[in-house]
Amino acid sequence: MDFLMSYETLRLVWWLFLGVLLIGFAVMDGFDLGVGVLLPVVAREDAERRVLLNAIGPTWEGNQVWFVLGGGAIFAAFPLIYAAAFSGFFVALILVLFALILRPVGFDYRSKLADPRWRGLWDWCLFVGGFVPALVFGVAFGNLLQGVPLRFDPDLRVHYDGGFFGLLNPYGLLCGAVSLSMLVMHGAAFLQLKTVGELRERARRWLGLAALVYVIAFAAAGVWLALGVEGYRLLSFAGKAGVSDPLAKTVAVEAGAWFANYYDAPVLWLIPLLAFAGAGLAWYLAPRRPGYAFIASATAVGCTILTAGVGMFPFMLPSSLQPSHSLTVWDSTSSLLTLRWMFWLTVFFLPLIIAYTSWVFRVMRGPVTVEEVRHSDAHY
């Protein structure tokens, strides 16, 4: 028990917890965002758009709990990461926040009036509410892999010397394309479970297109990372159980460093391979086994995030200005007491959240049809 509750172990456990929460958000809320992006192109009339909205209507709000939990986990377990990321990516995060605000407003206001112009306006708001977060989250990951322009002064006050438009660099935008196509694919896979007929067939065509774009963009991002983006390697630090002092280490910047963990443990190559396989299986299984297609799509989403996280480990927020000021798993955590308390709270509440979410999806299972939404005032 002493080993399990040691500082070294808890730091690693919280890195894993954070990964679970990020993957949970991408899988659970990701299909909602993808359906929002597909809203103007899959549905061709008002009743069909209402089908898409009611497909995600019972669960989209609960799915965003994963986003809140992820932010809370960073705040509690990695306060230096929280301070640096939320100051450096402030404009991007505010943009995401405004986009996410459009979603509940769009759901609640769209059906207040029958005017096609009114409903069309909110349909585009819901599209923006899905498109912007899906793109920005990918752009953020792309910039993490390149390093962000942050530094600490001797008093450990963080300074971010970049700007919002600096995030929109070619590699960042490529990673944004990976994220956007991945979540569109995931949303289309979810629609295989929740729609029927021509609407389902249109969603499958978009699933195939999004899966193809995702595979090409994900492969291109990997090649670019190997050939054109320098990674970070930890040379010395205060120790896995040392104090959380981001200045007490030395870091080297080397070509191919982000692949060092994969070369040291070749079994890890299965993670990106599963991402590629998940995308292909999602398209192949969609007309035959839509449930398995959704699982395959979720696997692709989770393994994509895991691919980046494993490659960067132990780095979490690399600095392009002062590589030795980069934040890692070993020097950006809260106190041992905080990690212990948060560990037991997470062990208690996370299974409850997963159980409740599973129950909700079981109760709300089954497709939504055009006939249902046309003859029911209870639907959006």
Side-chain angles (χ1 to χ4, degrees):
M1 181 61 71
D2 289 340
F3 172 74
L4 292 176
M5 289 293 102
S6 69
Y7 211 5
E8 173 185 347
T9 303
L10 284 174
R11 281 171 160 168
L12 181 59
V13 166
W14 270 101
W15 178 81
L16 293 172
F17 274 162
L18 183 59
V20 169
L21 292 174
L22 291 177
I23 291 172
F25 168 68
V27 170
M28 300 307 299
D29 205 38
F31 68 77
D32 290 344
L33 300 176
V35 171
V37 176
L38 290 169
L39 186 62
V41 294
V42 168
R44 295 179 179 174
E45 61 174 358
D46 180 67
E48 290 183 341
R49 293 190 180 97
R50 290 181 62 200
V51 168
L52 265 61
L53 294 179
N54 284 280
I56 59 175
T59 57
W60 72 268
E61 196 167 13
N63 289 341
Q64 293 192 159
V65 169
W66 292 93
F67 183 61
V68 177
L69 289 174
I74 296 174
F75 176 79
F78 300 99
L80 289 176
I81 299 287
Y82 185 90
F86 277 70
S87 59
F89 296 146
F90 179 78
V91 175
L93 289 171
I94 287 295
L95 188 64
V96 169
L97 179 61
F98 285 160
L100 292 177
I101 288 173
L102 288 175
R103 301 179 74 205
V105 178
F107 274 100
D108 289 340
Y109 278 48
R110 183 189 184 275
S111 297
K112 298 295 184 183
L113 298 175
D115 188 339
R117 293 171 299 178
W118 172 265
R119 293 189 173 186
L121 170 64
W122 289 112
D123 288 340
W124 282 107
C125 287
L126 290 167
F127 167 81
V128 171
F131 179 89
V132 171
L135 179 68
V136 170
F137 289 139
V139 170
F141 263 95
N143 280 273
L144 288 180
L145 290 167
Q146 296 175 95
V148 295
L150 66 86
R151 57 184 174 83
F152 290 90
D153 63 21
D155 296 321
L156 289 185
R157 290 177 298 189
V158 65
H159 298 270
Y160 182 83
D161 295 340
F164 170 73
F165 291 102
L167 301 175
L168 304 179
N169 54 75
Y171 187 74
L173 291 173
L174 175 60
C175 291
V178 173
S179 176
L180 179 61
S181 58
M182 175 182 74
L183 296 187
V184 169
M185 172 189 71
H186 196 40
F190 179 72
L191 291 178
Q192 300 304 295
L193 293 167
K194 301 296 290 184
T195 59
V196 297
E198 180 62 24
L199 197 57
R200 185 170 182 263
E201 184 57 31
R202 282 187 229 129
R204 181 177 179 267
R205 289 197 291 267
W206 277 95
L207 191 160
L209 177 60
L212 178 62
V213 173
Y214 160 76
V215 167
I216 294 173
F218 188 42
V223 172
W224 192 335
L225 189 65
L227 301 179
V229 178
E230 292 183 321
Y232 292 64
R233 186 163 64 91
L234 194 59
L235 299 179
S236 65
F237 63 110
K240 295 179 180 179
V243 296
S244 290
D245 182 0
L247 305 184
K249 65 176 176 295
T250 56
V251 174
V253 180
E254 302 173 351
W258 287 144
F259 292 87
N261 291 333
Y262 290 97
Y263 295 137
D264 292 341
V267 68
L268 294 176
W269 287 105
L270 288 174
I271 298 172
L273 289 178
L274 282 173
F276 286 116
L281 286 172
W283 173 80
Y284 176 75
L285 294 171
R288 305 166 183 82
R289 303 283 185 180
Y292 290 126
F294 181 75
I295 294 173
S297 176
T299 301
V301 172
C303 287
T304 302
I305 296 173
L306 199 56
T307 296
V310 168
M312 290 178 62
F313 184 85
F315 290 91
M316 298 183 71
L317 196 60
S319 170
S320 59
L321 290 181
Q322 297 285 346
S324 61
H325 292 195
S326 301
L327 294 173
T328 73
V329 174
W330 313 121
D331 60 20
S332 61
T333 58
S334 297
S335 67
L336 176 59
L337 182 62
T338 300
L339 295 185
R340 283 178 174 174
W341 271 100
M342 293 299 298
F343 171 80
W344 291 115
L345 289 172
T346 303
V347 167
F348 178 76
F349 283 108
L350 188 59
L352 292 179
I353 294 171
I354 294 174
Y356 175 74
T357 301
S358 302
W359 176 78
V360 169
F361 274 85
R362 177 174 176 79
V363 171
M364 299 296 178
R365 69 188 184 277
V368 181
T369 66
V370 172
E371 290 73 21
E372 286 179 4
V373 299
R374 280 177 174 166
H375 297 93
S376 173
D377 294 332
H379 289 74
Y380 286 113

